[in-house]
Amino acid sequence: MAVNTSPEAPLPVGEVSRMIGGWIDRLGAVWVEGQITQLSRRPGAGVVFLTLRDPSYDISVSVTCYRQVFDAVADVVGEGARVVVLAKPEWYAPRGQLSLRAAEIKPVGVGELLARLEQLKKALGAEGLFAADRKKPLPFLPQLIGLVCGRASAAERDVLENARHRWPAVRFEVRNVPVQGVHAVPQVVQAVKELDALDDVDVIIVARGGGSVEDLLPFSDEQLVRTVAGCRTPVVSAIGHEPDHPLLDYVADLRASTPTDAAKKVVPDVGEELERVRMLRDRARRCAAAFVEREERGLAHALGRPAMQDPHRMIDERADHVAALLDRGRRTLRHLLDRADSELTHTHARVVALSPAATLRRGYAVLQRADGHVVRDPAEVTAGEDLRARVAEGEFTVKVGE
């Protein structure tokens, strides 16, 4: 519970330590899992001292137990082993130290480790960290490769020698870290983060040789898996041998069966690339030669056609045809004009023959009254009326008699 204090009414250190001890006592016994990092078994001592560490979060706590508790598992438990401990938290008030008093210690077997790894794999897979669409493609020719591996390890030698043999100009940014044990996870995570922050690094290889399930356990750590999932730089996992599958293999952008295989997959072989360039050049030449040859055959075929050999022949043939059509058109037009002229002559003759002038020339006359009205009936005129008589050669005036 909260304690009321002030600068005027502070609590003594001893009282604070006593209160902390009281709160811790209320927690009771708990099962704790961790990795043994330090183990002290003094001859003749009735108490065994060890340090239990959580490699994922880089947190340690001291553990004490009676010798008989530890002797029950002494044959299978040592430094670096993962164990579960039934312990009660204790607070040592004079020094203000927290420790665990272990009443029972159980080693974590391989079967249990594999079962927990499978559960973690399913949980991370459900989050989508292993999805194929998250995988980033590797560059064709990386200029600078980040390498995380053990110091002077066979994995480092395999990667460097094979990569430089394949492409001598390739460069590496190496981070040597522990690849097993309690310090492996935080240092591997830190190395991956450092390399990912470098803009010049094109790809990161995390490499380690083979080992037991316990040896490879750091590369299945959740913190490392999430770190790799958040990298912007492509990451290649090269852990152990072909049968080994730590969780890092599933989250990495590419999984290599061995460190040597990683070098082969990340760095192209200069000899193979030169041969590929030569083959592509030869193929391009063959394609270009075949294209030119095909076009030459097409051109020769086109030039062999009669129209190309005698280009004026078609024009001459068309000219004769145009001349024939022109002559035919002229004849047809002349015939139409002649027929129209004949019809016009006949029509004109008929019109002339039927015209009033022709009638007058035959001796007839047309009588018109003073208003120009033509006289057609004797009843239309009166005695003594002057009429105008129109004949073929002119007109004159006549008077109507009684």
Side-chain angles (χ1 to χ4, degrees), residues 7 36 44-45 50 79 88 143 145 152 164 166 181 258 261 266 276 303 317 369 376-377 401:
I36 298 176
L50 54 92
E79 288 191 6
K88 185 178 186 305
Q143 300 300 310
I145 299 175
R164 286 167 179 163
R166 293 173 64 82
T258 62
D261 184 48
V266 172
R276 184 176 289 107
L303 292 176
E317 291 178 354
R369 301 180 66 179
R376 293 182 176 84
D377 188 349

Side-chain angles (χ1 to χ4, degrees), residues 5 38 68 92 100 103 163 219 235 255 259 270 288 321 342 344 351 359:
T5 61
Q38 295 179 356
Q68 59 268 27
Y92 186 59
L100 299 177
F219 299 96
V235 177
R255 187 250 177 183
V270 63
H321 183 63
S342 176
L344 182 60
V351 170
T359 302

Side-chain angles (χ1 to χ4, degrees), residues 43-112:
V47 178
V48 176
F49 298 90
L50 54 92
T51 301
L52 204 60
R53 182 184 182 87
D54 185 344
S56 299
Y57 296 96
D58 196 17
I59 296 175
S60 300
V61 64
S62 298
V63 179
T64 61
C65 66
Y66 292 112
R67 175 173 290 275
Q68 59 268 27
V69 174
F70 188 82
D71 287 345
V73 294
D75 295 337
V76 293
V77 168
E79 288 191 6
R82 295 184 71 91
V83 295
V84 289
V85 177
L86 177 61
K88 185 178 186 305
E90 291 184 345
W91 179 258
Y92 186 59
R95 294 185 182 177
Q97 292 181 343
L98 173 68
S99 64
L100 299 177
R101 172 71 68 171
E104 186 178 354
I105 300 177
K106 291 184 177 182
V108 178
V110 174
E112 294 177 273

Side-chain angles (χ1 to χ4, degrees), residues 132-179:
D133 55 3
R134 296 186 69 258
K135 307 295 184 182
K136 295 178 285 295
L138 270 62
F140 167 70
L141 180 58
Q143 300 300 310
L144 182 62
I145 299 175
L147 176 60
V148 180
C149 58
R151 186 179 302 277
S153 62
E156 179 181 8
R157 183 178 63 255
D158 290 345
V159 173
L160 295 180
E161 291 182 356
N162 282 278
R164 286 167 179 163
H165 176 73
R166 293 173 64 82
W167 199 278
V170 69
R171 297 181 295 116
F172 280 89
E173 184 73 24
V174 181
R175 294 290 186 274
N176 294 122
V177 297
V179 290

